[in-house]
Amino acid sequence: MELTTRLADGLIIANPVMNASGTFAYGEEFSGFFDLSVLGAVVTKGLSMQPKRGNPLPRIVETPCGMINSIGLENVGIHAFTREKLPFLRGYGVPVIVNFFGSNEEEYVQAARALDIEGVAALEMNVSCPNVKRGGIEFGKDPEGLNLLVTRVRQACSKPLIVKLSPMVTDICANAQAAVEAGADALTCINTIPAMAIDEETMRPVLGNVTGGLSGPAIKPVALKIVWEVSRRVSVPVIAAGGIASASDAVQFMLAGASAVQVGSASLRDPFCFPVVIEGIRAYLERKGITAVKDLVGSIREG
Ligand SMILES: Cc1cc2nc3c(=O)[nH]c(=O)nc-3n(C[C@H](O)[C@H](O)[C@H](O)COP(=O)(O)O)c2cc1C
């Protein structure tokens, strides 16, 4: 059974299952639940050049079939990460994919440069961040802006570059293409969907930040459609995220065209789920007589 999957030149991972950014911090807490070396890759919490404190509490609320978070990209900053967190992760021998962001173009470029170091297997660029200079408009919104940003980041680092797309755009395929033309080696689809919750008793928003991002099973059908659409449009590998909680979910995304999957919110509920998802994929392949993960990718039967 061949579980390896290719994400970029020089980035072939042992199996297609990784954690999603932001629900796993820097791996330390989860290492008490299972052996991190079983993962195809570890993805870090989104990092910025400077440490970030995040949004006011409360920052998480459960919804039917999901959750809304407004963490606000709290993180320790790239320098503390490379000093204090990266050595721990490297100890597991698993490729470390570093998720990063900036609040302006220059910060993205600086971050990519600072992360172009030994022990980082690839960069995952979060483009769903408000751009301070452009009045809070997300970077990832228009294909032209995204193309420019990815072009600059591409020039700043030598690592495989994964661009994580926001679903909140007019035509996600146009954004996907813009990122690939600018040099993205792979794409992650999708980030959270803007959402809010209100407490009618207090008559106030539940989240300190008022709005946040919806994740979990509620967004899975949206993510599935996007992964199917994007993977048919671009020739680079697509990594799926959005409501993946089981091997069945993972297989569905791979049938739709994903080369790998990320488990996010589901792991907050069940931190032991990763080995179960991996073994479940193996069992599915065996049952179907498929000998390699790559033969599953995009093999949905249509028509
Ligand atoms: C608490 C929380 C924090 C997150 N932080 C980040 C982040 O720092 N960077 C990022 O690109 N995505 C972040 N995400 C988005 C997830 O990586 C993922 O794209 C999204 O939650 C959909 O997957 P899921 O339904 O499996 O959670 C975060 C999600 C959650 C729930």
Side-chain angles (χ1 to χ4, degrees):
M1 189 65 62
E2 187 55 70
L3 291 188
T4 57
T5 190
R6 183 192 160 275
L7 297 182
D9 285 344
L11 184 61
I12 293 171
I13 60 175
N15 72 70
V17 179
M18 52 185 99
N19 65 285
S21 174
T23 47
F24 205 79
Y26 311 101
E28 288 141 325
E29 294 83 356
F30 275 80
S31 68
F33 294 107
F34 72 99
D35 177 3
L36 302 190
S37 67
V38 305
L39 291 170
V42 170
V43 186
T44 69
K45 171 67 188 161
L47 287 157
S48 47
M49 281 310 294
Q50 300 304 324
K52 204 165 180 288
R53 294 192 59 161
N55 286 327
L57 300 173
R59 309 203 288 193
I60 283 191
V61 57
E62 261 191 79
T63 62
C65 297
M67 59 180 272
I68 309 174
N69 90 82
S70 62
I71 306 296
L73 297 171
E74 174 172 338
N75 75 92
V76 297
I78 287 174
H79 293 306
F81 167 77
T82 51
R83 257 194 338 264
E84 296 156 22
K85 310 287 183 187
L86 185 57
F88 169 80
L89 286 176
R90 288 189 69 181
Y92 285 90
V94 170
V96 178
I97 299 178
V98 179
N99 183 289
F100 75 101
F101 67 95
S103 57
N104 57 51
E105 205 174 280
E106 203 40 49
E107 276 183 29
Y108 270 94
V109 170
Q110 280 175 8
R113 227 175 251 141
L115 289 165
D116 201 1
I117 52 173
E118 212 192 321
V120 172
L123 300 185
E124 182 180 63
M125 182 173 164
N126 176 5
V127 293
S128 310
C129 309
N131 181 339
V132 177
K133 274 196 190 151
R134 291 179 60 200
I137 301 168
E138 280 180 21
F139 281 104
K141 280 270 146 85
D142 65 294
E144 295 74 25
L146 183 61
N147 185 283
L148 286 177
L149 183 64
V150 176
T151 300
R152 288 207 57 200
V153 167
R154 177 65 294 171
Q155 287 163 354
C157 75
S158 62
K159 303 284 176 187
L161 182 63
I162 303 164
V163 176
K164 182 166 178 179
L165 298 176
S166 164
M168 299 310 291
V169 297
T170 316
D171 175 5
I172 195 155
C173 286
N175 286 44
Q177 253 169 341
V180 172
E181 276 161 24
D185 295 290
L187 302 173
T188 303
C189 304
I190 57 174
N191 215 312
T192 55
I193 299 177
M196 76 182 285
I198 296 175
D199 181 335
E200 73 278 16
E201 289 308 321
T202 60
M203 301 174 160
R204 302 179 71 82
V206 177
L207 295 170
N209 187 54
V210 182
T211 64
L214 182 66
S215 62
I219 72 168
K220 188 189 132 189
V222 178
L224 198 56
K225 189 246 187 192
I226 288 176
V227 165
W228 172 75
E229 220 168 37
V230 167
S231 62
R232 288 149 63 105
R233 185 69 77 88
V234 298
S235 53
V236 301
V238 173
I239 303 167
I244 298 168
S246 65
S248 297
D249 294 333
V251 166
Q252 289 163 23
F253 275 95
M254 289 193 280
L255 285 166
S259 294
V261 297
Q262 296 181 345
V263 180
S265 304
S267 64
L268 298 177
R269 195 167 172 168
D270 177 9
F272 299 100
C273 67
F274 293 99
V276 179
V277 174
I278 297 164
E279 285 319 304
I281 295 171
R282 194 194 299 275
Y284 172 88
L285 294 174
E286 244 165 51
R287 189 156 57 77
K288 291 286 184 189
I290 302 170
T291 51
V293 156
K294 70 172 179 3
D295 297 334
L296 181 64
V297 175
S299 66
I300 179 176
R301 295 181 186 158
E302 292 179 67

